[in-house]
Amino acid sequence: MKHSPFDIWLFDPQDLHAEQDEALKQHLAECDSCRALAEAWQAAEAGMLASEAMAPEPGFAHRWQQRLALARSKRRRRQTWAVLAGTIGGALVLTPIISLRLWALLAAPGEAALAWLDRLQILTLNLEALRGFVAIVLQSLQGLSVLWWVALGLGALWISGLWAGLLYRIAFKIIPNGVSR
Amino acid sequence: MPTDEKRWLRQARDGDELAFGHIVEAYERPVYNLCYRMLGDRALAEDAAQETFLKAFLGLKRYDPQRVFVNWLLSIASHHCIDRLRRRRLRLVPLESEQGVIDVVDTEAGPERALARAEQEHEIRQSLLQLATKDRAVVVLHYWQGLSYVEIAETLSLTTSAVKSRLHRARRTLAEHWLSQQEEGLAIQGLRDEALTF
Ligand SMILES: [Zn+2]
């Protein structure tokens, strides 16, 4: 016996047209396996429709508040560990560099002192160049009004604030309710 | 959306956890029920429902107010449960965790009725565990939450036709499981009768 499409229709009899419904009824009257399936489905569906939504144990919302507090403290602990790990990592990177420099100084104090003098000279030259640059900038700014100076000052202040805020966010990444995403 | 809910959501968005506590109270049952039907275990359901509300609170800025709020919650819960089942391959839970089903069934209707309902709940739980996880989510959202095909599709990130075909497949599996349970029951009854005649 051909069961298609009745073995599909029997799960959704409410969606059928009158003729389809009639054909399905006819098939179910003749076909034992489709009838058994249809009856099984009706019983299974009736069971689900009669079943109420399960409720959690009382105090669910209170337990949620506790869980939130726990999540926050975990987050804080993680942050502390991250800062600590960063510090230790930085120290581990810097230690060999400093040790090498120190070793060079102890092995040949004269050469090391000369190298440092060289560096000091370069630094002085750089500072000299920077002074010249600033002098040129100041010269060109002389013609500006007081209002311009205020605007420039505020701009500098804003950029500094933005920079500080960005550093803070990167370091602590705190969202309004104090919990990480 | 009720005005209270709107206010709580606005306050919760600003980080007010007490306001979100009202939201938790209002929707703990549908969220818990979905998790229970998905995972088949009360302790796992509690954990998943708690996690759902935590994720919702922390991700509240991503909630689109055009959507029905409870559907958004159910979406988080469904994905969480599906993910959990996938990770732990927890299609069937151990039998000892079945306890607690009877105590949630209303006992005011008399012990016999309560027992019958507990048995029915047990049957439903067993049947649902026969389904593939996404099919199970489709069934729960349709039969317990009364969501339309379109809403289920949105909740589970599926197409409407995928929802329909999953629902069809689930119905067939549920019917076949019910049928096999009946046959098993009849076979046991037959053995009992046979034993009694000797
Ligand atoms: Zn047939």
Side-chain angles (χ1 to χ4, degrees):
Chain A
M1 192 182 279
K2 193 169 164 275
H3 303 290
S4 176
F6 309 110
D7 59 345
I8 293 170
W9 289 359
L10 66 88
F11 291 106
D12 257 326
Q14 66 275 12
D15 290 353
L16 301 177
H17 305 300
E19 309 109 67
Q20 290 174 325
D21 193 48
E22 198 50 48
L24 176 65
K25 276 186 185 135
Q26 182 113 36
H27 182 79
L28 293 182
E30 293 160 4
C31 176
D32 289 344
S33 73
C34 284
R35 192 171 56 247
L37 202 61
E39 282 169 1
W41 168 238
Q42 278 163 17
E45 188 180 41
M48 288 195 292
L49 290 171
S51 166
E52 282 173 24
M54 288 276 180
E57 296 291 329
F60 182 87
H62 178 66
R63 291 195 294 283
W64 178 77
Q65 307 272 6
Q66 288 174 331
R67 199 172 175 117
L68 181 66
L70 195 74
R72 281 178 173 163
S73 81
K74 261 190 195 165
R75 162 74 183 165
R76 255 177 244 126
R77 256 207 308 274
R78 263 207 309 274
Q79 260 176 14
T80 311
W81 278 111
V83 169
L84 203 68
T87 313
I88 292 171
L92 283 176
V93 170
L94 285 176
T95 306
I97 297 171
I98 293 169
S99 305
L100 276 174
R101 296 272 166 211
L102 218 61
W103 180 254
L105 184 70
L106 289 174
E111 271 176 45
L114 276 177
W116 277 104
L117 271 176
D118 266 358
R119 263 188 217 113
L120 209 66
Q121 204 183 357
I122 290 166
L123 192 71
T124 320
L125 283 173
N126 281 342
L127 281 176
E128 193 64 31
L130 189 69
R131 204 180 61 83
F133 173 71
V134 170
I136 291 165
V137 171
L138 283 177
Q139 221 167 17
S140 63
L141 287 177
Q142 255 170 6
L144 289 182
S145 67
V146 181
L147 215 64
W148 266 104
W149 278 109
V150 171
L152 277 174
L154 283 177
L157 209 67
W158 180 70
I159 287 171
S160 315
L162 210 67
W163 177 68
L166 202 69
L167 270 187
Y168 180 74
R169 261 190 88 91
I170 291 168
F172 298 103
K173 225 176 185 174
I174 286 171
I175 64 162
N177 30 50
V179 191
S180 69
R181 289 265 161 96
Chain B
M1 194 190 283
T3 45
D4 271 352
E5 187 181 295
K6 264 188 192 162
R7 198 183 65 242
W8 292 333
L9 281 176
R10 209 176 37 246
Q11 291 167 342
R13 222 179 247 256
D14 294 333
D16 183 346
E17 62 187 71
L18 287 177
F20 197 77
H22 293 298
I23 297 279
V24 175
E25 275 169 3
Y27 295 117
E28 60 182 42
R29 192 163 183 160
V31 169
Y32 177 84
N33 179 60
L34 173 67
C35 297
Y36 175 75
R37 305 289 173 188
M38 286 297 291
L39 302 168
D41 178 90
R42 285 182 72 77
L44 292 178
E46 161 91 15
D47 188 64
Q50 290 280 350
E51 204 55 35
T52 297
F53 284 110
L54 202 62
K55 279 185 183 171
F57 180 61
L58 301 180
L60 206 53
K61 289 208 161 71
R62 283 192 297 270
Y63 164 63
D64 168 15
Q66 304 293 332
R67 273 185 86 174
V68 179
F69 183 70
V70 67
N71 289 0
W72 184 67
L73 279 178
L74 293 172
S75 173
I76 297 174
S78 312
H79 284 115
H80 179 80
C81 291
I82 291 168
D83 205 43
R84 190 164 188 160
L85 287 164
R86 191 186 298 139
R87 267 187 289 132
R88 303 205 179 166
R89 291 190 190 150
L90 208 148
R91 280 202 62 177
L92 293 166
V93 290
L95 283 171
E96 60 266 24
S97 56
E98 278 179 31
Q99 64 200 17
V101 172
I102 289 173
D103 63 21
V104 291
V105 171
D106 160 39
T107 45
E108 276 173 28
E112 268 177 42
R113 177 133 174 70
L115 196 68
R117 283 193 57 194
E119 264 174 33
Q120 197 170 26
E121 277 303 330
H122 171 77
E123 279 296 317
I124 290 171
R125 180 179 166 282
Q126 290 302 317
S127 311
L128 287 176
L129 290 175
Q130 306 302 312
L131 304 176
T133 50
K134 267 201 181 164
D135 296 5
R136 200 183 305 163
V138 171
V139 167
V140 176
L141 292 172
H142 186 67
Y143 284 100
W144 276 275
Q145 308 309 143
L147 262 56
S148 68
Y149 295 150
V150 175
E151 284 175 312
I152 296 172
E154 198 184 40
T155 303
L156 297 176
S157 320
L158 295 170
T159 61
T160 313
S161 61
V163 168
K164 280 182 190 168
S165 74
R166 278 180 183 275
L167 197 57
H168 177 79
R169 187 170 64 192
R171 281 167 168 161
R172 176 176 287 275
T173 307
L174 291 172
E176 283 167 356
H177 178 73
W178 198 89
L179 214 56
S180 74
Q181 291 299 102
Q182 289 302 106
E183 278 162 11
E184 211 173 279
L186 283 176
I188 291 169
Q189 189 63 45
L191 283 175
R192 251 187 227 149
D193 292 347
E194 225 169 86
L196 282 175
T197 50
F198 280 108

